[in-house]
Amino acid sequence: MRSLPRRVLLIAVLTVAPAVAAAMLLLWRGDFSQKVQWTATLFIALALLVGLGTLHDRVVRPLQTLSN
């Protein structure tokens, strides 16, 4: 069985994966310059990392504190 933090992270990634995949598909198949494509990709990846970090801090940390 996986640990709680890994399960929370996996559920979060699987939840946002379709939206990120659709955004990437539309971005890279669209008629945008390479500069716009790479900049938007960077912002999407950064937002994903910040969101996952925030989720970890707001869900997993309080449960770890409670279990201690």
Side-chain angles (χ1 to χ4, degrees):
M1 190 89 166
R2 296 176 194 223
S3 66
L4 179 66
R6 286 184 188 226
R7 282 188 283 165
V8 169
L9 180 65
L10 180 64
I11 290 169
V13 168
L14 291 176
T15 301
V16 299
V20 170
M24 289 293 136
L25 183 69
L26 292 172
L27 179 65
W28 286 93
R29 294 274 184 172
D31 189 26
F32 301 103
S33 70
Q34 286 247 326
K35 188 175 184 179
V36 169
Q37 289 172 334
W38 284 109
T39 303
T41 300
L42 177 69
F43 282 131
I44 290 170
L46 185 63
L48 183 61
L49 289 175
V50 168
L52 291 174
T54 302
L55 178 73
H56 184 268
D57 288 344
R58 294 198 173 241
V59 173
V60 175
R61 291 281 184 222
L63 292 174
Q64 287 174 341
T65 302
L66 186 63
S67 69
N68 286 338

